[in-house]
Amino acid sequence: MTAQRAEDTDDPYLWLEDVTAADALDWVRARNEPTTAQFCDTDFERMRAEALEVLDTDARIPYVRRRGEYLYNFWRDAANPRGLWRRTTLDSYRSDSPEWDVLIDVDELGRTDDEKWVWAGATVIEPEFTRALVNLSRGGSDAVIVREFDMLTREFIPDGFALPEAKSQIGWADPDTVLVGTDFGADSLTESGYPRIVKRWRRGTPLSQAETIFEGTRTDVSAGANVDRTPGFVRCFADRSVDFWNTESYEVRGPELIRIDLPTDASISVHREWLLVELRSDWTVGATSYSAGSLLATNYDEFLSGAVDLQVVFEPDAHTCLHQTAWTRDRLLLVTLADVASRVEIVTPGTWQREEIAGIPPATNTMVAAADHTGDEFFLDSSGFDMPSQLMRGTGAGGLERIKSAPGFFDAENLDVKQYFVPSKDATLIPYFVVRSRAVEGPGPTLLGGYGGFESSRTPGYSGVLGRLWLARGGTYVMANIRGGGEYGPRWHTQAMRENRHKVDEDFAAVADDLVKRGITTVEQLGAQGGSNGGLLMGIMLTKYPEKFGALVCDVPLLDMKRYHLLLAGASWVAEYGDPDNPDDWEFISKYSPYQNISATRHYPPVLFTTSTRDDRVHPGHARKMVAALQAAGHRVWLYENIEGGHAGAADNEQAAFKSALSYSFLWQTLGGQP
């Protein structure tokens, strides 16, 4: 059961928070059935098949990461729904049909173990590349088991490092030692459910004898540690996340903890001799002030000794922000956004001179897909709403080689992509993209997507599923770059936190109004969709702005903001939303919390909620209770809860295709279109 307080006992649907209780699961099944009966028709089945074809096709780009002499990839397809962890060489990868060396077949492993394993990644020891700590999830949850894998014999090591199911953090200190944070028993986890204690665990000893090297507090989000094993620069680091946005960082030297004395809300990284600092707020050092969003660099050892010689690598302006950084051995890659358009530069450490990388396709969104911090290789991925991904390989010497191209999954030749700006309630200009066929005349079915939180930027990109199931059928897609995200740097986010959260909703509502005003759609034909924090946004649109939409899809959502901090990882988001137990914070949270603001008299558009029983990040009780309360108030509402899937809502391609087709079938039916 979840945490319960006396003041919550008047919640008639609290029992739905008991995730796997028989009566709660019976209630879920009783609501899944009418949802699938209504929307899983012949049009749904066509869309499901088309989505699965996109997700399973061998023509997709197999994205890779270099570890030593090999390029590693994780791959799912129709024959391997749970996936293959595999590797190849660069020469083979350049070919149209690479020869893949399979290390772990997750489907076969699941059959052997009689478990529905979902791949959750592997930590490979560097620079040896001989062992891996493999993470496996039951049904896609964040909690994982850990097993040590021998990459030479291709077998799990019977007496190797292993952890039972938990939200663990584990990494290599040396071939016979790991640093581990996990559920060690009483008082070893934070209130958010993450490790607060880090121990050094030596091979051949029981976990109970591991030596504690670092501790946080119960009110922290988490504590962690890692060892950088770069030859000549071996260092051990530890940190405690005081809240979601503030972290204290240390270097561990034997029994000594050396504080890396920087603003706690800055993002820091150490690479060889260099320390990078990305500021989230303004910082003054001596007589020099640095603005939020700037990237600074200095010599790490000199900084620790007290010298402050900071070099400005990047400084934002009103239109441009830092979006991504990645290191090769001797170069730094920078991706910036200018009004949500990307630019990639390569930087020479020391002089910190920046040079734009030539050869990137125009009018695309480009990201660093992978970079080898031990060599000079990097991969860039470029795509746009109307252009499938192109994977390019570069080196520190410059020049790009197009190495892979994804196929087109729908006819994008006649797509029109435009960017608009609309003033929000406080006159801030909010950008958004409109994607539709030139053959569409006048208003039509339109899907508006948004997120608006945690400094997460939404950028243009190609989606074969969206293209096939929505755009190719005559639908219009809109991506809103509302505040709360990071499209214009940290200030775009911080101005919409906590008591200013209402700006996120006002921005989204302004975009919805502008779409109708421009004649792109009508209220009856305008749908919106968001997940997780974006699901909270959909809940607010439903209860605060229901007259602006014809339908809403609310995925894996936060909705009961009175109890969110008591459910699963919710306590870690108090810095973003505020603390409901603080009366001053509840004063502003209560004004928008969807579960507490349901009206029985206002007209609500039809809404589809989706969640997962195995979601151990955002509790499925949010969606369950909201559906129950809405139905009791007489509103038209639908629920689909997948038993597997975790916070992603799907554990494999088949489940992902089903979920996508269900959402689009709902939207086509409710918005009056013909799929």
Side-chain angles (χ1 to χ4, degrees), residues 53-96:
E53 184 181 358
V54 171
L55 297 172
D56 274 348
T57 179
D58 289 341
R60 287 172 292 139
I61 294 176
Y63 292 97
V64 292
R65 174 183 174 183
R66 180 172 291 282
R67 293 182 172 104
E69 62 181 306
Y70 294 106
L71 300 176
Y72 287 75
N73 164 260
F74 184 73
W75 182 262
R76 291 190 180 106
D77 58 22
N80 306 280
R82 297 289 165 145
L84 305 171
W85 190 41
R86 58 189 192 172
R87 66 188 183 187
T88 190
T89 62
L90 176 61
D91 287 343
S92 179
Y93 186 64
R94 282 192 171 106
S95 71
D96 292 335

Short mmCIF file of all heavy atoms in Angstrom, two decimals, residues 53-96:
data_model
loop_
_atom_site.label_atom_id
_atom_site.label_comp_id
_atom_site.label_asym_id
_atom_site.label_seq_id
_atom_site.Cartn_x
_atom_site.Cartn_y
_atom_site.Cartn_z
N GLU A 53 4.78 -2.05 -37.96
CA GLU A 53 5.70 -2.15 -39.09
C GLU A 53 6.81 -1.11 -38.97
O GLU A 53 7.99 -1.40 -39.22
CB GLU A 53 4.95 -1.96 -40.41
CG GLU A 53 5.82 -2.13 -41.64
CD GLU A 53 5.06 -1.92 -42.94
OE1 GLU A 53 3.84 -1.68 -42.88
OE2 GLU A 53 5.70 -1.97 -44.01
N VAL A 54 6.46 0.10 -38.54
CA VAL A 54 7.46 1.15 -38.35
C VAL A 54 8.43 0.76 -37.24
O VAL A 54 9.66 0.88 -37.38
CB VAL A 54 6.79 2.49 -38.00
CG1 VAL A 54 7.82 3.53 -37.57
CG2 VAL A 54 5.99 3.01 -39.18
N LEU A 55 7.89 0.27 -36.13
CA LEU A 55 8.73 -0.02 -34.97
C LEU A 55 9.61 -1.25 -35.16
O LEU A 55 10.71 -1.33 -34.61
CB LEU A 55 7.83 -0.22 -33.74
CG LEU A 55 7.03 1.01 -33.31
CD1 LEU A 55 6.04 0.63 -32.21
CD2 LEU A 55 7.94 2.12 -32.84
N ASP A 56 9.13 -2.21 -35.96
CA ASP A 56 9.85 -3.47 -36.11
C ASP A 56 10.76 -3.55 -37.33
O ASP A 56 11.59 -4.45 -37.43
CB ASP A 56 8.85 -4.64 -36.21
CG ASP A 56 8.43 -5.17 -34.84
OD1 ASP A 56 9.07 -4.79 -33.84
OD2 ASP A 56 7.46 -5.95 -34.77
N THR A 57 10.62 -2.63 -38.28
CA THR A 57 11.34 -2.78 -39.54
C THR A 57 12.86 -2.83 -39.35
O THR A 57 13.43 -2.10 -38.54
CB THR A 57 10.99 -1.64 -40.51
OG1 THR A 57 11.73 -1.82 -41.72
CG2 THR A 57 11.32 -0.29 -39.92
N ASP A 58 13.50 -3.69 -40.12
CA ASP A 58 14.95 -3.78 -40.10
C ASP A 58 15.61 -2.58 -40.78
O ASP A 58 16.82 -2.41 -40.68
CB ASP A 58 15.41 -5.06 -40.81
CG ASP A 58 15.08 -6.31 -40.00
OD1 ASP A 58 14.85 -6.17 -38.78
OD2 ASP A 58 15.05 -7.41 -40.58
N ALA A 59 14.80 -1.76 -41.45
CA ALA A 59 15.35 -0.59 -42.15
C ALA A 59 15.63 0.57 -41.20
O ALA A 59 16.21 1.58 -41.61
CB ALA A 59 14.40 -0.15 -43.26
N ARG A 60 15.22 0.46 -39.92
CA ARG A 60 15.54 1.50 -38.95
C ARG A 60 17.05 1.64 -38.78
O ARG A 60 17.81 0.71 -39.04
CB ARG A 60 14.93 1.16 -37.59
CG ARG A 60 13.45 1.32 -37.47
CD ARG A 60 12.98 0.75 -36.13
NE ARG A 60 13.12 -0.70 -36.08
CZ ARG A 60 13.55 -1.37 -35.02
NH1 ARG A 60 13.91 -0.72 -33.93
NH2 ARG A 60 13.63 -2.69 -35.05
N ILE A 61 17.47 2.80 -38.31
CA ILE A 61 18.89 2.99 -38.00
C ILE A 61 19.21 2.29 -36.69
O ILE A 61 18.57 2.56 -35.67
CB ILE A 61 19.25 4.48 -37.90
CG1 ILE A 61 19.09 5.17 -39.25
CG2 ILE A 61 20.68 4.66 -37.38
CD1 ILE A 61 19.34 6.67 -39.21
N PRO A 62 20.19 1.39 -36.68
CA PRO A 62 20.64 0.80 -35.41
C PRO A 62 21.67 1.74 -34.76
O PRO A 62 22.83 1.76 -35.14
CB PRO A 62 21.28 -0.51 -35.86
CG PRO A 62 21.76 -0.26 -37.25
CD PRO A 62 20.86 0.79 -37.84
N TYR A 63 21.23 2.53 -33.81
CA TYR A 63 22.13 3.50 -33.17
C TYR A 63 23.15 2.76 -32.30
O TYR A 63 22.82 1.77 -31.64
CB TYR A 63 21.34 4.51 -32.35
CG TYR A 63 20.52 5.41 -33.24
CD1 TYR A 63 19.17 5.15 -33.49
CD2 TYR A 63 21.09 6.50 -33.87
CE1 TYR A 63 18.42 5.97 -34.33
CE2 TYR A 63 20.35 7.33 -34.71
CZ TYR A 63 19.02 7.05 -34.93
OH TYR A 63 18.29 7.86 -35.76
N VAL A 64 24.36 3.28 -32.28
CA VAL A 64 25.46 2.55 -31.65
C VAL A 64 26.21 3.44 -30.67
O VAL A 64 26.12 4.68 -30.71
CB VAL A 64 26.46 2.01 -32.70
CG1 VAL A 64 25.82 0.92 -33.54
CG2 VAL A 64 26.99 3.14 -33.58
N ARG A 65 26.95 2.79 -29.81
CA ARG A 65 27.85 3.45 -28.87
C ARG A 65 29.15 2.68 -28.86
O ARG A 65 29.16 1.45 -28.76
CB ARG A 65 27.25 3.47 -27.47
CG ARG A 65 28.20 4.02 -26.42
CD ARG A 65 27.60 3.96 -25.04
NE ARG A 65 28.56 4.36 -24.03
CZ ARG A 65 28.33 4.34 -22.72
NH1 ARG A 65 27.15 3.94 -22.28
NH2 ARG A 65 29.25 4.72 -21.86
N ARG A 66 30.27 3.39 -29.00
CA ARG A 66 31.57 2.71 -29.03
C ARG A 66 32.02 2.37 -27.63
O ARG A 66 31.97 3.18 -26.70
CB ARG A 66 32.63 3.58 -29.71
CG ARG A 66 34.00 2.89 -29.75
CD ARG A 66 35.00 3.63 -30.58
NE ARG A 66 34.69 3.58 -32.00
CZ ARG A 66 34.91 2.53 -32.80
NH1 ARG A 66 35.45 1.43 -32.30
NH2 ARG A 66 34.61 2.58 -34.08
N ARG A 67 32.49 1.11 -27.50
CA ARG A 67 33.19 0.66 -26.30
C ARG A 67 34.41 -0.11 -26.78
O ARG A 67 34.31 -1.26 -27.21
CB ARG A 67 32.29 -0.23 -25.44
CG ARG A 67 31.10 0.48 -24.81
CD ARG A 67 30.32 -0.48 -23.93
NE ARG A 67 29.27 0.17 -23.14
CZ ARG A 67 27.98 0.11 -23.42
NH1 ARG A 67 27.58 -0.56 -24.50
NH2 ARG A 67 27.10 0.69 -22.64
N GLY A 68 35.56 0.55 -26.75
CA GLY A 68 36.77 -0.09 -27.25
C GLY A 68 36.72 -0.26 -28.75
O GLY A 68 36.39 0.67 -29.50
N GLU A 69 36.99 -1.47 -29.23
CA GLU A 69 37.05 -1.70 -30.67
C GLU A 69 35.70 -1.97 -31.30
O GLU A 69 35.59 -2.04 -32.53
CB GLU A 69 37.99 -2.88 -30.96
CG GLU A 69 37.54 -4.21 -30.37
CD GLU A 69 38.50 -5.34 -30.67
OE1 GLU A 69 38.81 -5.56 -31.85
OE2 GLU A 69 38.96 -5.99 -29.71
N TYR A 70 34.65 -2.10 -30.50
CA TYR A 70 33.35 -2.47 -31.04
C TYR A 70 32.32 -1.34 -30.87
O TYR A 70 32.42 -0.49 -29.98
CB TYR A 70 32.80 -3.72 -30.33
CG TYR A 70 33.59 -4.97 -30.59
CD1 TYR A 70 34.43 -5.50 -29.61
CD2 TYR A 70 33.51 -5.63 -31.82
CE1 TYR A 70 35.15 -6.66 -29.84
CE2 TYR A 70 34.23 -6.79 -32.06
CZ TYR A 70 35.06 -7.30 -31.07
OH TYR A 70 35.78 -8.44 -31.30
N LEU A 71 31.32 -1.38 -31.75
CA LEU A 71 30.16 -0.52 -31.66
C LEU A 71 28.99 -1.37 -31.14
O LEU A 71 28.66 -2.40 -31.72
CB LEU A 71 29.80 0.07 -33.03
CG LEU A 71 30.87 0.92 -33.69
CD1 LEU A 71 30.42 1.34 -35.09
CD2 LEU A 71 31.20 2.15 -32.85
N TYR A 72 28.36 -0.93 -30.05
CA TYR A 72 27.31 -1.69 -29.38
C TYR A 72 25.94 -1.10 -29.70
O TYR A 72 25.78 0.11 -29.83
CB TYR A 72 27.54 -1.70 -27.88
CG TYR A 72 28.69 -2.58 -27.45
CD1 TYR A 72 30.01 -2.18 -27.64
CD2 TYR A 72 28.46 -3.82 -26.86
CE1 TYR A 72 31.06 -2.98 -27.25
CE2 TYR A 72 29.51 -4.63 -26.46
CZ TYR A 72 30.82 -4.21 -26.66
OH TYR A 72 31.86 -5.01 -26.28
N ASN A 73 24.94 -1.99 -29.76
CA ASN A 73 23.58 -1.59 -30.10
C ASN A 73 22.59 -2.48 -29.36
O ASN A 73 22.86 -3.67 -29.15
CB ASN A 73 23.37 -1.72 -31.62
CG ASN A 73 21.90 -1.71 -32.03
OD1 ASN A 73 21.32 -2.77 -32.27
ND2 ASN A 73 21.32 -0.54 -32.11
N PHE A 74 21.46 -1.90 -28.95
CA PHE A 74 20.35 -2.72 -28.45
C PHE A 74 19.22 -2.64 -29.45
O PHE A 74 18.82 -1.55 -29.88
CB PHE A 74 19.88 -2.26 -27.08
CG PHE A 74 18.82 -3.17 -26.52
CD1 PHE A 74 19.16 -4.42 -26.05
CD2 PHE A 74 17.49 -2.78 -26.50
CE1 PHE A 74 18.18 -5.29 -25.57
CE2 PHE A 74 16.51 -3.63 -26.03
CZ PHE A 74 16.86 -4.89 -25.56
N TRP A 75 18.65 -3.79 -29.83
CA TRP A 75 17.74 -3.87 -30.98
C TRP A 75 16.52 -4.71 -30.67
O TRP A 75 16.63 -5.81 -30.12
CB TRP A 75 18.49 -4.50 -32.14
CG TRP A 75 17.72 -4.62 -33.42
CD1 TRP A 75 17.06 -5.73 -33.88
CD2 TRP A 75 17.51 -3.60 -34.40
NE1 TRP A 75 16.47 -5.47 -35.09
CE2 TRP A 75 16.73 -4.16 -35.44
CE3 TRP A 75 17.91 -2.27 -34.52
CZ2 TRP A 75 16.34 -3.44 -36.56
CZ3 TRP A 75 17.53 -1.55 -35.63
CH2 TRP A 75 16.76 -2.14 -36.63
N ARG A 76 15.34 -4.17 -31.01
CA ARG A 76 14.10 -4.95 -30.94
C ARG A 76 13.49 -5.03 -32.33
O ARG A 76 13.52 -4.06 -33.09
CB ARG A 76 13.09 -4.29 -30.00
CG ARG A 76 13.43 -4.32 -28.53
CD ARG A 76 12.23 -3.86 -27.72
NE ARG A 76 12.49 -3.86 -26.29
CZ ARG A 76 12.68 -2.75 -25.58
NH1 ARG A 76 12.63 -1.57 -26.17
NH2 ARG A 76 12.89 -2.82 -24.28
N ASP A 77 12.89 -6.17 -32.65
CA ASP A 77 12.14 -6.32 -33.89
C ASP A 77 11.09 -7.41 -33.69
O ASP A 77 10.91 -7.90 -32.57
CB ASP A 77 13.06 -6.61 -35.08
CG ASP A 77 13.91 -7.87 -34.90
OD1 ASP A 77 13.52 -8.75 -34.10
OD2 ASP A 77 14.95 -7.98 -35.56
N ALA A 78 10.42 -7.79 -34.76
CA ALA A 78 9.33 -8.76 -34.65
C ALA A 78 9.82 -10.10 -34.13
O ALA A 78 9.13 -10.77 -33.35
CB ALA A 78 8.64 -8.92 -36.00
N ALA A 79 11.01 -10.50 -34.56
CA ALA A 79 11.54 -11.79 -34.13
C ALA A 79 12.13 -11.74 -32.73
O ALA A 79 12.29 -12.78 -32.08
CB ALA A 79 12.60 -12.28 -35.12
N ASN A 80 12.47 -10.53 -32.28
CA ASN A 80 13.12 -10.36 -30.98
C ASN A 80 12.42 -9.23 -30.21
O ASN A 80 12.99 -8.14 -30.04
CB ASN A 80 14.61 -10.03 -31.16
CG ASN A 80 15.32 -11.05 -32.02
OD1 ASN A 80 15.69 -12.14 -31.57
ND2 ASN A 80 15.50 -10.71 -33.29
N PRO A 81 11.20 -9.45 -29.77
CA PRO A 81 10.42 -8.35 -29.18
C PRO A 81 11.03 -7.77 -27.92
O PRO A 81 10.86 -6.58 -27.64
CB PRO A 81 9.05 -8.98 -28.90
CG PRO A 81 9.29 -10.46 -28.91
CD PRO A 81 10.41 -10.69 -29.86
N ARG A 82 11.75 -8.57 -27.14
CA ARG A 82 12.40 -8.04 -25.94
C ARG A 82 13.83 -7.57 -26.21
O ARG A 82 14.38 -6.83 -25.41
CB ARG A 82 12.40 -9.09 -24.83
CG ARG A 82 10.99 -9.48 -24.38
CD ARG A 82 10.33 -8.36 -23.60
NE ARG A 82 8.90 -8.56 -23.46
CZ ARG A 82 8.19 -8.21 -22.39
NH1 ARG A 82 8.78 -7.66 -21.36
NH2 ARG A 82 6.89 -8.41 -22.36
N GLY A 83 14.38 -8.01 -27.32
CA GLY A 83 15.59 -7.37 -27.79
C GLY A 83 16.88 -8.16 -27.70
O GLY A 83 17.00 -9.16 -27.00
N LEU A 84 17.87 -7.66 -28.44
CA LEU A 84 19.21 -8.23 -28.51
C LEU A 84 20.24 -7.16 -28.14
O LEU A 84 20.20 -6.04 -28.66
CB LEU A 84 19.52 -8.72 -29.93
CG LEU A 84 18.56 -9.71 -30.57
CD1 LEU A 84 18.91 -9.90 -32.05
CD2 LEU A 84 18.60 -11.05 -29.83
N TRP A 85 21.16 -7.50 -27.24
CA TRP A 85 22.33 -6.66 -27.00
C TRP A 85 23.44 -7.23 -27.86
O TRP A 85 23.82 -8.39 -27.72
CB TRP A 85 22.70 -6.67 -25.53
CG TRP A 85 23.75 -5.63 -25.18
CD1 TRP A 85 23.82 -4.36 -25.64
CD2 TRP A 85 24.86 -5.80 -24.29
NE1 TRP A 85 24.90 -3.71 -25.10
CE2 TRP A 85 25.55 -4.56 -24.27
CE3 TRP A 85 25.34 -6.86 -23.52
CZ2 TRP A 85 26.71 -4.36 -23.49
CZ3 TRP A 85 26.47 -6.66 -22.74
CH2 TRP A 85 27.15 -5.43 -22.74
N ARG A 86 23.95 -6.41 -28.77
CA ARG A 86 24.83 -6.92 -29.80
C ARG A 86 25.90 -5.89 -30.13
O ARG A 86 25.85 -4.74 -29.70
CB ARG A 86 24.03 -7.27 -31.05
CG ARG A 86 23.25 -6.08 -31.62
CD ARG A 86 22.30 -6.46 -32.72
NE ARG A 86 21.79 -5.27 -33.41
CZ ARG A 86 21.06 -5.28 -34.51
NH1 ARG A 86 20.74 -6.45 -35.07
NH2 ARG A 86 20.65 -4.16 -35.08
N ARG A 87 26.89 -6.33 -30.94
CA ARG A 87 27.98 -5.43 -31.30
C ARG A 87 28.49 -5.76 -32.69
O ARG A 87 28.26 -6.85 -33.22
CB ARG A 87 29.11 -5.52 -30.28
CG ARG A 87 29.84 -6.85 -30.23
CD ARG A 87 30.80 -6.91 -29.06
NE ARG A 87 31.56 -8.16 -29.05
CZ ARG A 87 32.37 -8.54 -28.06
NH1 ARG A 87 32.51 -7.75 -26.99
NH2 ARG A 87 33.03 -9.67 -28.12
N THR A 88 29.22 -4.80 -33.27
CA THR A 88 29.83 -4.99 -34.57
C THR A 88 31.05 -4.09 -34.67
O THR A 88 31.35 -3.32 -33.75
CB THR A 88 28.82 -4.69 -35.70
OG1 THR A 88 29.36 -5.10 -36.95
CG2 THR A 88 28.48 -3.20 -35.76
N THR A 89 31.76 -4.16 -35.79
CA THR A 89 32.91 -3.30 -36.02
C THR A 89 32.48 -2.12 -36.89
O THR A 89 31.43 -2.16 -37.54
CB THR A 89 34.03 -4.06 -36.72
OG1 THR A 89 33.57 -4.49 -38.01
CG2 THR A 89 34.47 -5.27 -35.89
N LEU A 90 33.30 -1.08 -36.93
CA LEU A 90 32.97 0.08 -37.74
C LEU A 90 32.86 -0.29 -39.22
O LEU A 90 31.94 0.14 -39.91
CB LEU A 90 34.02 1.18 -37.54
CG LEU A 90 33.85 2.42 -38.41
CD1 LEU A 90 32.51 3.11 -38.14
CD2 LEU A 90 35.01 3.39 -38.19
N ASP A 91 33.81 -1.09 -39.72
CA ASP A 91 33.77 -1.46 -41.14
C ASP A 91 32.48 -2.21 -41.47
O ASP A 91 31.86 -1.96 -42.51
CB ASP A 91 34.98 -2.32 -41.50
CG ASP A 91 36.27 -1.51 -41.56
OD1 ASP A 91 36.18 -0.27 -41.65
OD2 ASP A 91 37.36 -2.12 -41.49
N SER A 92 32.08 -3.11 -40.59
CA SER A 92 30.84 -3.84 -40.84
C SER A 92 29.64 -2.91 -40.71
O SER A 92 28.69 -3.01 -41.50
CB SER A 92 30.72 -5.00 -39.85
OG SER A 92 29.52 -5.71 -40.06
N TYR A 93 29.68 -2.01 -39.77
CA TYR A 93 28.56 -1.08 -39.55
C TYR A 93 28.32 -0.19 -40.75
O TYR A 93 27.18 0.20 -41.04
CB TYR A 93 28.84 -0.24 -38.31
CG TYR A 93 27.70 0.65 -37.88
CD1 TYR A 93 26.49 0.11 -37.45
CD2 TYR A 93 27.83 2.04 -37.89
CE1 TYR A 93 25.44 0.92 -37.05
CE2 TYR A 93 26.78 2.86 -37.49
CZ TYR A 93 25.60 2.30 -37.07
OH TYR A 93 24.56 3.11 -36.67
N ARG A 94 29.39 0.14 -41.47
CA ARG A 94 29.25 0.99 -42.66
C ARG A 94 28.46 0.31 -43.77
O ARG A 94 27.92 0.97 -44.66
CB ARG A 94 30.64 1.37 -43.19
CG ARG A 94 31.34 2.48 -42.41
CD ARG A 94 32.55 2.95 -43.20
NE ARG A 94 33.17 4.13 -42.63
CZ ARG A 94 34.31 4.15 -41.97
NH1 ARG A 94 34.97 2.99 -41.78
NH2 ARG A 94 34.81 5.26 -41.49
N SER A 95 28.40 -1.01 -43.74
CA SER A 95 27.73 -1.74 -44.82
C SER A 95 26.22 -1.67 -44.65
O SER A 95 25.70 -1.30 -43.59
CB SER A 95 28.19 -3.20 -44.83
OG SER A 95 27.67 -3.89 -43.71
N ASP A 96 25.49 -2.06 -45.71
CA ASP A 96 24.04 -2.08 -45.65
C ASP A 96 23.51 -3.19 -44.75
O ASP A 96 22.40 -3.09 -44.22
CB ASP A 96 23.45 -2.25 -47.06
CG ASP A 96 23.70 -1.03 -47.93
OD1 ASP A 96 23.88 0.07 -47.37
OD2 ASP A 96 23.73 -1.18 -49.17
#
